[in-house]
Amino acid sequence: MSALRFSDVCASGFARGKRVFIRADLNVPFDDAGRITEDTRIRASLPALRMALDAGAAVMVTSHLGRPTEGAFKPEDSLAPVAARLGELLGRPVRLVSQWVDGDFSVAPGEVVLLENCRLNVGEKNNSPELARKLGALCDIFVHDAFGTAHRAEGTTYGMAETAPLACAGPLLAAEMDALAQALHAPARPLVAIVAGSKVSTKLPLLKNLAHNVDQLIVGGGIANTFMLAAGLKVGKSLAEADLVNEARAVIDAMKARGAEVPIPTDVVTAKAFAPDAPATVKLATDVADDDLILDIGPETAQKLAAQLRQAGTIVWNGPVGVFEFAAFEGGTQAIAQAIANSSAFSIAGGGDTLAAIAKYGIEKDVGYISTGGGAFLEVLEGKTLPAFEVLTRRAA
Protein backbone atom coordinates (compact mmCIF):
# COMPACT_ATOMS: atom_id res chain seq x y z
CA MET A 1 0.00 0.00 0.00
CA SER A 2 1.49 3.30 -1.12
CA ALA A 3 -0.16 5.68 1.33
CA LEU A 4 1.41 8.94 2.44
CA ARG A 5 3.02 8.46 5.84
CA PHE A 6 2.71 10.92 8.69
CA SER A 7 6.39 10.43 9.51
CA ASP A 8 7.29 11.82 6.07
CA VAL A 9 4.88 14.73 6.49
CA CYS A 10 6.52 15.63 9.81
CA ALA A 11 10.05 15.18 8.45
CA SER A 12 9.26 17.66 5.68
CA GLY A 13 8.32 20.33 8.23
CA PHE A 14 4.83 20.64 6.74
CA ALA A 15 3.07 19.84 10.04
CA ARG A 16 4.50 22.82 11.93
CA GLY A 17 1.67 25.03 13.12
CA LYS A 18 -0.89 22.86 11.36
CA ARG A 19 -4.06 21.34 12.82
CA VAL A 20 -3.48 17.58 12.97
CA PHE A 21 -6.40 15.24 13.60
CA ILE A 22 -5.42 11.72 14.69
CA ARG A 23 -7.92 8.86 14.62
CA ALA A 24 -6.56 6.49 17.26
CA ASP A 25 -7.88 3.32 18.86
CA LEU A 26 -8.28 4.08 22.56
CA ASN A 27 -11.05 1.55 23.14
CA VAL A 28 -9.72 0.21 26.44
CA PRO A 29 -11.45 -1.97 29.06
CA PHE A 30 -12.85 -0.58 32.32
CA ASP A 31 -13.83 -2.14 35.63
CA ASP A 32 -17.19 -1.57 37.32
CA ALA A 33 -15.82 1.52 39.04
CA GLY A 34 -14.90 3.13 35.70
CA ARG A 35 -11.15 2.56 36.05
CA ILE A 36 -9.01 1.53 33.09
CA THR A 37 -7.86 -2.05 33.60
CA GLU A 38 -5.45 -2.36 30.66
CA ASP A 39 -3.90 0.52 28.70
CA THR A 40 -1.98 -1.14 25.83
CA ARG A 41 -3.99 0.68 23.17
CA ILE A 42 -3.40 4.05 24.82
CA ARG A 43 0.33 3.38 24.93
CA ALA A 44 0.26 2.30 21.29
CA SER A 45 -1.17 5.71 20.34
CA LEU A 46 1.70 7.66 21.88
CA PRO A 47 4.20 7.56 18.96
CA ALA A 48 1.77 9.38 16.63
CA LEU A 49 0.92 11.97 19.29
CA ARG A 50 4.55 12.60 20.14
CA MET A 51 5.45 12.78 16.45
CA ALA A 52 2.81 15.48 15.95
CA LEU A 53 3.90 17.42 19.06
CA ASP A 54 7.56 17.25 18.08
CA ALA A 55 6.61 18.61 14.65
CA GLY A 56 5.00 21.66 16.26
CA ALA A 57 1.41 20.76 15.38
CA ALA A 58 -1.85 21.55 17.15
CA VAL A 59 -3.05 18.06 17.95
CA MET A 60 -6.56 16.65 18.10
CA VAL A 61 -7.15 12.96 18.77
CA THR A 62 -10.34 10.93 18.97
CA SER A 63 -11.44 7.31 19.29
CA HIS A 64 -14.51 5.19 19.68
CA LEU A 65 -15.25 3.62 23.05
CA GLY A 66 -17.68 0.73 23.24
CA ARG A 67 -20.87 0.80 21.20
CA PRO A 68 -22.83 3.86 22.28
CA THR A 69 -26.06 5.06 20.72
CA GLU A 70 -25.38 7.97 18.35
CA GLY A 71 -26.55 11.25 19.80
CA ALA A 72 -27.34 9.78 23.22
CA PHE A 73 -24.50 10.44 25.66
CA LYS A 74 -24.17 8.35 28.80
CA PRO A 75 -21.39 8.80 31.38
CA GLU A 76 -20.02 5.31 30.73
CA ASP A 77 -19.43 6.29 27.07
CA SER A 78 -17.05 9.10 27.97
CA LEU A 79 -13.34 9.16 27.16
CA ALA A 80 -12.65 11.20 30.33
CA PRO A 81 -10.60 8.41 32.00
CA VAL A 82 -8.63 8.04 28.77
CA ALA A 83 -7.86 11.77 28.74
CA ALA A 84 -6.50 11.49 32.27
CA ARG A 85 -4.33 8.48 31.39
CA LEU A 86 -3.05 10.13 28.21
CA GLY A 87 -2.05 13.16 30.25
CA GLU A 88 -0.10 10.97 32.65
CA LEU A 89 1.73 9.17 29.85
CA LEU A 90 2.48 12.33 27.87
CA GLY A 91 3.44 14.35 30.92
CA ARG A 92 1.12 17.22 30.00
CA PRO A 93 -2.57 18.08 30.45
CA VAL A 94 -4.95 16.60 27.87
CA ARG A 95 -8.21 18.52 27.68
CA LEU A 96 -11.39 16.60 26.84
CA VAL A 97 -13.67 18.36 24.36
CA SER A 98 -17.35 17.47 23.96
CA GLN A 99 -19.68 18.55 21.11
CA TRP A 100 -16.72 19.11 18.81
CA VAL A 101 -18.03 18.32 15.33
CA ASP A 102 -18.82 21.96 14.45
CA GLY A 103 -15.33 23.10 15.49
CA ASP A 104 -16.43 25.21 18.46
CA PHE A 105 -13.14 24.75 20.28
CA SER A 106 -9.55 25.87 19.94
CA VAL A 107 -6.25 24.00 20.08
CA ALA A 108 -2.84 25.64 20.03
CA PRO A 109 0.40 24.34 18.52
CA GLY A 110 2.07 22.11 21.09
CA GLU A 111 -1.26 21.22 22.72
CA VAL A 112 -3.18 17.92 22.67
CA VAL A 113 -6.95 17.78 23.04
CA LEU A 114 -8.99 14.57 23.19
CA LEU A 115 -12.28 14.79 21.33
CA GLU A 116 -15.13 12.88 22.97
CA ASN A 117 -16.17 9.39 21.79
CA CYS A 118 -16.58 9.73 18.03
CA ARG A 119 -19.30 7.09 17.86
CA LEU A 120 -21.60 9.48 19.73
CA ASN A 121 -21.69 11.67 16.61
CA VAL A 122 -24.82 11.22 14.53
CA GLY A 123 -23.83 9.74 11.18
CA GLU A 124 -20.49 8.28 12.29
CA LYS A 125 -21.30 4.63 11.75
CA ASN A 126 -22.87 4.99 8.30
CA ASN A 127 -20.29 7.58 7.17
CA SER A 128 -22.77 10.40 6.60
CA PRO A 129 -21.50 12.75 3.84
CA GLU A 130 -22.59 15.77 5.87
CA LEU A 131 -20.62 14.59 8.90
CA ALA A 132 -17.62 13.74 6.72
CA ARG A 133 -17.52 17.29 5.35
CA LYS A 134 -17.62 18.77 8.86
CA LEU A 135 -14.88 16.41 10.06
CA GLY A 136 -12.59 17.22 7.15
CA ALA A 137 -12.93 20.94 7.88
CA LEU A 138 -11.55 20.50 11.39
CA CYS A 139 -7.96 19.90 10.32
CA ASP A 140 -5.16 20.47 7.86
CA ILE A 141 -3.83 16.92 8.19
CA PHE A 142 -5.82 13.76 8.92
CA VAL A 143 -3.84 10.84 10.39
CA HIS A 144 -5.37 7.36 10.47
CA ASP A 145 -3.59 5.43 13.20
CA ALA A 146 -6.25 2.91 14.29
CA PHE A 147 -5.66 -0.35 12.45
CA GLY A 148 -8.34 -2.08 14.52
CA THR A 149 -10.93 0.11 12.74
CA ALA A 150 -9.33 0.01 9.28
CA HIS A 151 -11.95 -2.47 8.03
CA ARG A 152 -14.81 -0.08 8.82
CA ALA A 153 -15.88 2.72 6.47
CA GLU A 154 -17.10 5.14 9.13
CA GLY A 155 -16.96 8.91 9.45
CA THR A 156 -13.62 9.15 11.27
CA THR A 157 -12.05 6.15 9.53
CA TYR A 158 -13.04 6.77 5.90
CA GLY A 159 -15.17 9.86 5.28
CA MET A 160 -12.66 12.15 6.94
CA ALA A 161 -9.83 10.66 4.90
CA GLU A 162 -11.75 11.70 1.79
CA THR A 163 -12.57 15.26 2.88
CA ALA A 164 -9.50 16.42 4.84
CA PRO A 165 -6.98 18.55 2.93
CA LEU A 166 -4.30 15.90 3.49
CA ALA A 167 -4.73 12.27 4.61
CA CYS A 168 -1.96 9.94 5.73
CA ALA A 169 -1.13 6.80 7.69
CA GLY A 170 0.12 7.14 11.25
CA PRO A 171 3.09 5.12 12.55
CA LEU A 172 0.94 2.33 14.01
CA LEU A 173 -1.09 1.87 10.84
CA ALA A 174 2.06 2.09 8.70
CA ALA A 175 3.76 -0.60 10.78
CA GLU A 176 0.75 -2.89 10.30
CA MET A 177 0.85 -2.26 6.55
CA ASP A 178 4.54 -3.09 6.37
CA ALA A 179 4.26 -6.24 8.49
CA LEU A 180 1.30 -7.61 6.53
CA ALA A 181 3.04 -6.87 3.23
CA GLN A 182 6.15 -8.69 4.41
CA ALA A 183 4.13 -11.70 5.54
CA LEU A 184 1.71 -11.98 2.62
CA HIS A 185 3.01 -10.22 -0.48
CA ALA A 186 6.71 -11.02 -0.47
CA PRO A 187 7.16 -13.73 2.18
CA ALA A 188 10.28 -15.71 2.84
CA ARG A 189 9.39 -19.35 2.19
CA PRO A 190 8.16 -21.70 3.51
CA LEU A 191 5.11 -19.63 4.48
CA VAL A 192 3.21 -21.32 7.32
CA ALA A 193 -0.18 -20.16 8.57
CA ILE A 194 -1.75 -21.26 11.84
CA VAL A 195 -5.51 -20.80 11.89
CA ALA A 196 -7.44 -21.96 14.93
CA GLY A 197 -10.80 -21.26 16.45
CA SER A 198 -14.09 -22.85 17.31
CA LYS A 199 -15.75 -22.91 13.89
CA VAL A 200 -14.72 -23.39 10.28
CA SER A 201 -17.73 -21.30 9.24
CA THR A 202 -16.32 -18.11 10.81
CA LYS A 203 -12.96 -18.50 9.09
CA LEU A 204 -13.86 -20.24 5.83
CA PRO A 205 -12.96 -17.25 3.57
CA LEU A 206 -9.62 -17.01 5.39
CA LEU A 207 -8.90 -20.73 4.98
CA LYS A 208 -9.81 -20.67 1.30
CA ASN A 209 -7.60 -17.65 0.59
CA LEU A 210 -4.63 -19.05 2.49
CA ALA A 211 -4.97 -22.40 0.70
CA HIS A 212 -3.80 -20.66 -2.48
CA ASN A 213 -0.84 -18.92 -0.88
CA VAL A 214 0.73 -20.78 2.03
CA ASP A 215 3.04 -23.78 2.03
CA GLN A 216 1.55 -25.24 5.17
CA LEU A 217 -1.79 -24.57 6.85
CA ILE A 218 -1.93 -25.65 10.48
CA VAL A 219 -5.47 -25.82 11.86
CA GLY A 220 -6.44 -26.06 15.52
CA GLY A 221 -9.37 -26.03 17.93
CA GLY A 222 -12.82 -26.83 16.61
CA ILE A 223 -11.56 -26.08 13.10
CA ALA A 224 -9.08 -28.96 13.37
CA ASN A 225 -11.90 -31.29 14.47
CA THR A 226 -13.83 -30.54 11.28
CA PHE A 227 -10.69 -31.22 9.23
CA MET A 228 -10.25 -34.50 11.12
CA LEU A 229 -13.77 -35.48 10.05
CA ALA A 230 -12.81 -34.57 6.48
CA ALA A 231 -9.82 -36.92 6.79
CA GLY A 232 -12.11 -39.77 7.86
CA LEU A 233 -11.37 -39.63 11.60
CA LYS A 234 -13.90 -39.68 14.44
CA VAL A 235 -14.06 -36.74 16.86
CA GLY A 236 -16.56 -38.05 19.44
CA LYS A 237 -18.67 -35.28 20.92
CA SER A 238 -16.05 -32.61 20.14
CA LEU A 239 -17.01 -29.24 18.68
CA ALA A 240 -17.10 -29.70 14.91
CA GLU A 241 -19.20 -28.75 11.88
CA ALA A 242 -20.11 -31.91 10.00
CA ASP A 243 -21.99 -29.89 7.37
CA LEU A 244 -18.72 -28.21 6.36
CA VAL A 245 -16.68 -31.37 5.86
CA ASN A 246 -16.78 -30.92 2.08
CA GLU A 247 -15.50 -27.35 2.45
CA ALA A 248 -12.64 -28.59 4.65
CA ARG A 249 -11.88 -31.33 2.15
CA ALA A 250 -11.76 -28.72 -0.64
CA VAL A 251 -9.14 -26.75 1.31
CA ILE A 252 -7.09 -29.93 1.80
CA ASP A 253 -7.33 -30.71 -1.92
CA ALA A 254 -6.40 -27.16 -2.94
CA MET A 255 -3.30 -27.35 -0.78
CA LYS A 256 -2.41 -30.82 -2.06
CA ALA A 257 -2.70 -29.66 -5.68
CA ARG A 258 0.05 -27.14 -4.98
CA GLY A 259 2.28 -29.64 -3.21
CA ALA A 260 1.35 -28.09 0.16
CA GLU A 261 -0.40 -29.66 3.10
CA VAL A 262 -2.84 -29.34 5.97
CA PRO A 263 -1.28 -31.52 8.73
CA ILE A 264 -3.98 -33.61 10.41
CA PRO A 265 -3.33 -34.39 14.12
CA THR A 266 -1.97 -37.89 14.75
CA ASP A 267 -2.67 -37.68 18.48
CA VAL A 268 -4.96 -35.56 20.63
CA VAL A 269 -5.68 -34.73 24.26
CA THR A 270 -9.22 -35.63 25.28
CA ALA A 271 -11.55 -35.33 28.25
CA LYS A 272 -15.07 -36.46 29.07
CA ALA A 273 -16.17 -32.96 30.11
CA PHE A 274 -15.26 -29.38 29.27
CA ALA A 275 -13.82 -28.29 32.62
CA PRO A 276 -10.42 -27.12 33.93
CA ASP A 277 -10.25 -30.05 36.34
CA ALA A 278 -11.38 -32.70 33.84
CA PRO A 279 -8.88 -35.61 33.62
CA ALA A 280 -6.85 -35.35 30.40
CA THR A 281 -6.05 -38.40 28.28
CA VAL A 282 -3.62 -38.50 25.36
CA LYS A 283 -4.90 -40.71 22.54
CA LEU A 284 -4.05 -41.57 18.97
CA ALA A 285 -6.31 -39.65 16.62
CA THR A 286 -7.65 -43.01 15.46
CA ASP A 287 -8.75 -43.97 18.98
CA VAL A 288 -11.15 -41.15 19.86
CA ALA A 289 -14.22 -42.55 21.62
CA ASP A 290 -17.81 -41.48 21.03
CA ASP A 291 -17.99 -39.67 24.38
CA ASP A 292 -14.61 -37.91 24.06
CA LEU A 293 -14.03 -34.16 23.77
CA ILE A 294 -10.86 -33.22 21.89
CA LEU A 295 -9.44 -30.20 23.75
CA ASP A 296 -5.86 -30.05 22.44
CA ILE A 297 -3.46 -31.57 19.94
CA GLY A 298 -1.30 -34.32 21.37
CA PRO A 299 2.44 -34.15 22.17
CA GLU A 300 3.48 -36.09 19.04
CA THR A 301 1.52 -33.72 16.80
CA ALA A 302 2.82 -30.69 18.71
CA GLN A 303 6.39 -31.88 18.30
CA LYS A 304 5.99 -32.39 14.55
CA LEU A 305 4.39 -28.98 14.05
CA ALA A 306 7.03 -27.28 16.20
CA ALA A 307 9.79 -28.81 14.09
CA GLN A 308 8.13 -27.51 10.91
CA LEU A 309 7.67 -24.03 12.39
CA ARG A 310 11.35 -23.86 13.29
CA GLN A 311 12.13 -24.37 9.59
CA ALA A 312 9.66 -21.77 8.33
CA GLY A 313 10.61 -18.55 6.57
CA THR A 314 7.40 -16.71 7.46
CA ILE A 315 4.72 -17.54 10.05
CA VAL A 316 1.21 -16.08 10.31
CA TRP A 317 -0.54 -17.01 13.58
CA ASN A 318 -4.22 -16.59 14.36
CA GLY A 319 -5.61 -18.64 17.21
CA PRO A 320 -4.47 -21.09 19.93
CA VAL A 321 -4.65 -24.76 18.92
CA GLY A 322 -6.28 -25.98 22.14
CA VAL A 323 -8.07 -24.83 25.27
CA PHE A 324 -4.91 -23.16 26.56
CA GLU A 325 -6.80 -21.50 29.42
CA PHE A 326 -6.95 -24.95 31.09
CA ALA A 327 -3.54 -26.19 32.28
CA ALA A 328 -4.19 -29.77 31.20
CA PHE A 329 -4.95 -28.69 27.64
CA GLU A 330 -2.38 -25.97 26.98
CA GLY A 331 0.51 -28.18 25.81
CA GLY A 332 -0.15 -27.78 22.10
CA THR A 333 -0.50 -23.99 22.18
CA GLN A 334 2.56 -23.65 24.40
CA ALA A 335 4.62 -25.81 22.04
CA ILE A 336 3.48 -23.75 19.05
CA ALA A 337 4.27 -20.50 20.88
CA GLN A 338 7.75 -21.63 21.87
CA ALA A 339 8.47 -22.91 18.35
CA ILE A 340 7.53 -19.51 16.91
CA ALA A 341 9.71 -17.82 19.52
CA ASN A 342 12.65 -20.07 18.63
CA SER A 343 12.21 -19.76 14.86
CA SER A 344 14.30 -17.40 12.77
CA ALA A 345 11.22 -16.79 10.60
CA PHE A 346 9.47 -13.46 10.36
CA SER A 347 6.28 -13.96 12.37
CA ILE A 348 3.10 -11.93 12.58
CA ALA A 349 0.33 -12.71 15.06
CA GLY A 350 -3.13 -11.28 15.57
CA GLY A 351 -6.45 -11.91 17.29
CA GLY A 352 -7.45 -11.56 20.94
CA ASP A 353 -6.89 -15.17 22.00
CA THR A 354 -3.57 -15.26 20.16
CA LEU A 355 -2.38 -12.17 22.00
CA ALA A 356 -3.49 -13.72 25.30
CA ALA A 357 -1.41 -16.82 24.54
CA ILE A 358 1.60 -14.70 23.59
CA ALA A 359 1.32 -12.86 26.90
CA LYS A 360 0.82 -16.08 28.88
CA TYR A 361 4.02 -17.62 27.53
CA GLY A 362 6.02 -14.39 27.60
CA ILE A 363 7.15 -14.44 23.97
CA GLU A 364 6.18 -10.86 23.02
CA LYS A 365 9.76 -9.92 22.17
CA ASP A 366 10.22 -13.05 20.05
CA VAL A 367 7.29 -12.43 17.67
CA GLY A 368 8.20 -10.33 14.65
CA TYR A 369 5.03 -8.26 14.74
CA ILE A 370 1.94 -8.40 16.96
CA SER A 371 -1.08 -6.94 15.18
CA THR A 372 -3.36 -4.58 17.08
CA GLY A 373 -6.40 -5.45 14.96
CA GLY A 374 -8.80 -8.35 15.26
CA GLY A 375 -11.34 -8.13 12.46
CA ALA A 376 -9.05 -5.98 10.32
CA PHE A 377 -6.21 -8.50 10.64
CA LEU A 378 -8.48 -11.34 9.56
CA GLU A 379 -9.88 -9.41 6.60
CA VAL A 380 -6.39 -8.73 5.26
CA LEU A 381 -5.57 -12.44 5.61
CA GLU A 382 -8.78 -13.21 3.72
CA GLY A 383 -7.42 -11.19 0.79
CA LYS A 384 -9.72 -8.20 1.22
CA THR A 385 -8.64 -4.61 0.70
CA LEU A 386 -9.46 -2.64 3.84
CA PRO A 387 -11.41 0.60 3.34
CA ALA A 388 -8.75 2.62 5.18
CA PHE A 389 -5.99 1.23 2.97
CA GLU A 390 -8.03 1.93 -0.16
CA VAL A 391 -8.85 5.55 0.63
CA LEU A 392 -5.36 6.46 1.88
CA THR A 393 -3.79 4.93 -1.23
CA ARG A 394 -6.22 6.81 -3.45
CA ARG A 395 -5.55 10.12 -1.67
CA ALA A 396 -1.80 9.62 -2.09
CA ALA A 397 -2.08 9.14 -5.86
Side-chain angles (χ1 to χ4, degrees):
M1 171 184 150
S2 55
L4 179 66
R5 298 179 182 234
F6 187 45
S7 56
D8 293 332
V9 173
C10 291
S12 72
F14 182 75
R16 180 163 297 280
K18 296 293 195 299
R19 298 169 302 157
V20 171
F21 187 112
I22 299 173
R23 175 51 161 103
D25 183 358
L26 308 173
N27 186 30
V28 292
F30 292 83
D31 62 18
D32 293 339
R35 295 180 296 248
I36 295 170
T37 57
E38 206 279 321
D39 68 354
T40 298
R41 286 177 174 168
I42 298 177
R43 292 178 180 276
S45 73
L46 297 179
L49 294 171
R50 288 176 174 144
M51 190 179 289
L53 289 170
D54 291 344
V59 187
M60 299 165 275
V61 58
T62 195
S63 171
H64 67 287
L65 180 68
R67 298 182 179 182
T69 300
E70 290 184 359
F73 175 80
K74 292 183 291 187
E76 58 266 32
D77 299 329
S78 178
L79 288 171
V82 176
R85 184 64 181 135
L86 265 179
E88 292 172 1
L89 293 169
L90 289 170
R92 65 177 68 209
V94 174
R95 179 163 47 99
L96 181 67
V97 178
S98 302
Q99 306 297 326
W100 49 270
V101 169
D102 292 321
D104 299 329
F105 65 94
S106 61
V107 54
E111 183 185 10
V112 178
V113 297
L114 178 61
L115 307 180
E116 188 59 278
N117 193 337
C118 59
R119 284 194 182 157
L120 289 167
N121 299 328
V122 176
E124 167 68 14
K125 199 157 188 180
N126 66 2
N127 187 24
S128 153
E130 180 183 359
L131 177 63
R133 284 192 297 272
K134 288 183 176 182
L135 295 175
L138 292 174
C139 66
D140 302 301
I141 303 168
F142 169 70
V143 182
H144 195 319
D145 205 38
F147 177 69
T149 69
H151 60 312
R152 303 186 186 280
E154 298 180 348
T156 57
T157 65
Y158 191 90
M160 195 170 183
E162 289 193 301
T163 60
L166 190 71
C168 56
L172 185 63
L173 187 67
E176 294 273 2
M177 290 159 31
D178 292 343
L180 287 163
Q182 183 176 345
L184 300 176
H185 302 308
R189 298 282 178 171
L191 169 58
V192 181
I194 304 159
V195 179
S198 58
K199 295 182 178 181
V200 169
S201 54
T202 60
K203 294 188 177 178
L204 189 57
L206 168 59
L207 293 165
K208 287 181 174 179
N209 185 60
L210 291 175
H212 297 288
N213 296 296
V214 303
D215 302 301
Q216 187 176 34
L217 179 58
I218 296 171
V219 291
I223 291 175
N225 298 336
T226 302
F227 274 78
M228 288 176 68
L229 286 176
L233 295 166
K234 295 180 179 180
V235 298
K237 58 179 184 178
S238 308
L239 179 64
E241 292 174 288
D243 58 324
L244 290 178
V245 163
N246 288 337
E247 297 281 7
R249 196 170 289 133
V251 171
I252 294 172
D253 292 343
M255 293 284 288
K256 189 178 295 184
R258 298 174 42 248
E261 66 166 335
V262 181
I264 303 299
T266 56
D267 63 339
V268 292
V269 185
T270 67
K272 300 301 183 183
F274 186 86
D277 57 350
T281 303
V282 177
K283 292 188 173 185
L284 293 176
T286 53
D287 293 342
V288 175
D290 291 342
D291 61 345
D292 277 337
L293 285 170
I294 300 171
L295 300 182
D296 195 11
I297 57 174
E300 178 183 274
T301 300
Q303 187 175 6
K304 288 178 181 177
L305 296 179
Q308 292 167 336
L309 287 168
R310 285 192 289 268
Q311 299 302 313
T314 305
I315 300 169
V316 177
W317 183 19
N318 176 246
V321 296
V323 187
F324 77 104
E325 299 91 344
F326 299 168
F329 308 103
E330 70 171 337
T333 300
Q334 186 171 18
I336 292 291
Q338 291 301 330
I340 292 172
N342 295 334
S343 173
S344 60
F346 172 73
S347 54
I348 180 169
D353 289 341
T354 313
L355 271 57
I358 288 170
K360 182 173 183 177
Y361 302 120
I363 64 166
E364 294 94 333
K365 294 180 180 178
D366 300 310
V367 177
Y369 190 82
I370 299 174
S371 175
T372 58
F377 179 74
L378 289 178
E379 289 199 14
V380 173
L381 297 187
E382 289 170 11
K384 297 179 181 178
T385 298
L386 302 187
F389 287 16
E390 177 269 315
V391 68
L392 291 176
T393 299
R394 176 159 46 84
R395 286 299 309 272

